[in-house]
Amino acid sequence: MRTVLVVDDEPSIVTLLKFNLEQAGYNVLTAEDGRKGLDTALKEKPDLIVLDLMLPGMDGMDVCKSLRQEKVNTPILMLTAKDDEFDKILGLELGADDYLTKPFSPREVVARVKAILRRSQFEDVEQSEQVIKIGDLEIQLERYDVYFKGEQLILTPKEFELLLYLANHRGKVLSRDQLLNGVWDFQYDGDTRIVDVHISHLREKIEPDTKKPVYIRTIRGFGYKLEGPAE
């Protein structure tokens, strides 16, 4: 049974999410503030965290940042009451995998949780190769490990999924919409900045010079493609 940690200071939301997630077959842990949520995440190691942005004591941004600094790559679904693009993008930059703006339906939260967990474990990906090598980049599928010039990289589940999706379509130009549908499983009403943020994260980890990328290239007006340095 997968475990989901819900961190929110509104009892009604916690009760609603806990009920619906348990009905969907998940074990649910809860925390009513950021500090407790961080401690619970580090101690219990849940499979996914539903994290509210506005929390007493320690807000969701700080919790997310702290987890990533501790090399905890548990998928994070961030909840925000603000319909503010800055908050959404900042959350993604700090390491959140997905976000939902309040008010939301419990069914949508459950659907997002299922999609994130499914994609993070690649239960629906058929892959014949066990190792993908592109230049100095090596993706080990059995272990979900990535190496660059022999050094292991620390990627979030969503970053790994995005890199693998690009690698499986090596040399092909993929639009932002294609990447959204292929990696996130959801339509974002034309807001494709979530893709750009994660591409930026990957470039910081695999590009010798992020201003002159040689692996993940931007095809202006179309999207992105992954290829080797000499291709």
Side-chain angles (χ1 to χ4, degrees):
M1 182 181 292
R2 300 288 188 88
T3 297
V4 176
L5 170 61
V6 176
V7 187
D8 199 301
D9 62 329
E10 297 184 47
S12 60
I13 290 180
V14 172
T15 300
L16 187 64
L17 292 180
K18 180 178 172 63
F19 174 79
N20 282 273
L21 287 167
E22 287 179 340
Q23 288 294 108
Y26 298 103
N27 177 47
V28 181
L29 304 174
T30 64
E32 67 277 0
D33 62 61
R35 174 55 62 183
K36 184 178 179 181
L38 176 60
D39 292 342
T40 302
L42 293 173
K43 180 181 179 181
E44 302 294 338
K45 297 179 174 58
D47 297 289
L48 183 141
I49 302 170
V50 179
L51 179 64
D52 189 30
L53 174 64
M54 302 299 292
L55 293 168
M58 185 180 193
D59 67 23
M61 295 291 189
D62 288 335
V63 173
C64 184
K65 183 178 180 180
S66 296
L67 287 171
R68 296 313 187 220
Q69 287 176 339
E70 291 292 326
K71 308 302 182 184
V72 176
N73 292 321
T74 303
I76 295 174
L77 172 60
M78 187 166 282
L79 307 178
T80 172
K82 298 180 179 179
D83 190 14
D84 190 328
E85 295 302 320
F86 175 78
D87 288 326
K88 294 174 184 176
I89 299 303
L90 181 58
L92 295 171
E93 288 177 343
L94 291 175
D97 295 88
D98 204 348
Y99 63 81
L100 275 176
T101 302
K102 295 180 180 178
F104 50 76
S105 72
R107 292 178 62 184
E108 185 175 11
V109 175
V110 172
R112 293 286 181 100
V113 168
K114 286 182 177 179
I116 294 170
L117 288 174
R118 185 179 69 247
R119 300 292 298 187
S120 67
Q121 293 300 317
F122 304 104
E123 294 173 355
D124 58 346
V125 174
E126 294 183 0
Q127 180 58 248
S128 57
E129 292 182 89
Q130 295 305 306
V131 178
I132 299 175
K133 293 184 178 180
I134 303 175
D136 292 317
L137 185 66
E138 181 176 307
I139 305 172
Q140 297 186 359
L141 300 177
E142 285 189 341
R143 298 187 178 189
Y144 305 133
D145 287 337
V146 178
Y147 292 85
F148 185 71
K149 293 186 176 180
E151 182 177 345
Q152 186 173 5
L153 303 180
I154 304 300
L155 303 183
T156 67
K158 192 58 64 179
E159 289 168 359
F160 186 93
E161 292 172 52
L162 177 58
L163 180 61
L164 181 58
Y165 193 85
L166 287 165
N168 283 335
H169 297 82
R170 176 177 178 172
K172 181 179 178 181
V173 180
L174 300 170
S175 70
R176 290 172 175 82
D177 286 331
Q178 285 177 304
L179 291 170
L180 280 174
N181 293 333
V183 177
W184 278 265
D185 278 344
F186 283 92
Q187 295 285 347
Y188 276 75
D189 299 324
D191 184 0
T192 57
R193 279 171 289 182
I194 187 173
V195 173
D196 298 331
V197 170
H198 282 78
I199 289 289
S200 177
H201 288 173
L202 284 176
R203 281 175 169 166
E204 289 173 0
K205 297 175 181 180
I206 70 173
E207 296 288 359
D209 184 354
T210 57
K211 295 182 179 179
K212 297 179 180 179
V214 295
Y215 284 91
I216 303 177
R217 301 189 181 184
T218 301
I219 308 302
R220 195 172 301 277
F222 293 95
Y224 298 102
K225 72 173 177 177
L226 176 67
E227 58 186 6
E231 297 177 13

